[in-house]
Amino acid sequence: MENASQDINLNSPNKGLLADTMTDVPVDSGASARAAAPEGLTLAEEEELRSELAKVEEEIGTLRQVLAAKERHCGELKRKLGLTPLDGLKQNLSKSWHDVQVSNAYVKTSEKLGEWNDKVTQSDLYLSASSTLEDWNEKLTQSEAYKKTQETLSQAGQKTSAALSNVGSVISRKLGDMRNSATFKSFEDRVGTIKSRMVGSRENSTDGLHSPSGAGDQPPQDNAPF
């Protein structure tokens, strides 16, 4: 404070130094700090627009926070319901396809395609081509070559069925002859004999295990010394 008072004192030899140093400091007033207003707007209009802009930005931030909270809540509900991202993708695709079907462009395109189909099917060229194809089909089905081919295929099918039936009967007859042959009967007798022997030997071994041994019937010897 003493230095300042000395500089401000008119009788001080440094009375001009303070003024020289203060001339280099820029003066920042409210008018220069504010950006220049666009042409055609008054200061009041500019202030009103800036206030409205601040409110809109604040609302946008609030809506973003609300949207983030809603998305988290939606994810929790889907998790509790067992819905996977694939289910959500299917639902979105179905909704998108439904929106496409009810759109004006899709309806107009379907109508145009229907009109083109009617025009094509009712045109002289289409009717002539259809009539020509029907004539060719009728001529083909009534031709001798077609009839012979059909008869040949029918006879071949009947012959194939008869051949398969004959093969089945032949196999059955061969199996019956084989079972009635002496060789097969001898083989059956041998198998029966072997089976009966195995059953008899098993029964004998079982009886031997349950019956007392001959050594057990003898009285025990007294080996004690006299």
Side-chain angles (χ1 to χ4, degrees), residues 78-189:
K78 288 182 178 180
R79 181 178 56 80
K80 291 179 180 179
L81 292 173
L83 298 177
T84 61
L86 182 60
D87 296 331
L89 179 60
K90 291 180 180 179
Q91 185 177 1
N92 293 333
L93 290 176
S94 300
K95 185 177 182 301
S96 300
W97 176 241
H98 180 266
D99 294 340
V100 169
Q101 287 180 332
V102 299
S103 62
N104 293 329
Y106 183 86
V107 174
K108 290 181 179 179
T109 303
S110 300
E111 293 177 354
K112 288 292 183 182
L113 290 176
E115 293 176 0
W116 291 347
N117 185 32
D118 294 337
K119 290 180 180 179
V120 169
T121 54
Q122 294 177 4
S123 62
D124 295 336
L125 179 61
Y126 180 84
L127 295 175
S128 177
S130 299
S131 178
T132 302
L133 290 175
E134 290 178 357
D135 293 339
W136 288 351
N137 185 29
E138 186 176 358
K139 291 179 181 179
L140 178 62
T141 53
Q142 293 179 1
S143 63
E144 295 295 331
Y146 179 83
K147 292 179 179 179
K148 289 182 179 180
T149 303
Q150 191 174 9
E151 291 176 358
T152 303
L153 292 175
S154 178
Q155 292 175 1
Q158 293 176 359
K159 290 181 180 179
T160 302
S161 299
L164 293 175
S165 178
N166 292 331
V167 169
S169 61
V170 169
I171 292 174
S172 298
R173 187 174 63 253
K174 289 292 185 181
L175 290 175
D177 296 340
M178 184 183 297
R179 294 192 65 179
N180 294 327
S181 63
T183 304
F184 189 82
K185 290 183 178 181
S186 177
F187 177 75
E188 284 185 340
D189 293 340

Side-chain angles (χ1 to χ4, degrees), residues 20 22-23 28 30-31 36 43 62 75 84 89 103-104 126 136 162 172 176 181 185 193 203 208 210 219 222:
D20 295 337
M22 292 181 66
T23 55
D28 188 6
L43 293 177
T62 304
T84 61
L89 179 60
S103 62
N104 293 329
Y126 180 84
W136 288 351
S172 298
S181 63
K185 290 183 178 181
T193 303
E203 291 178 353
H210 290 287
D222 190 4

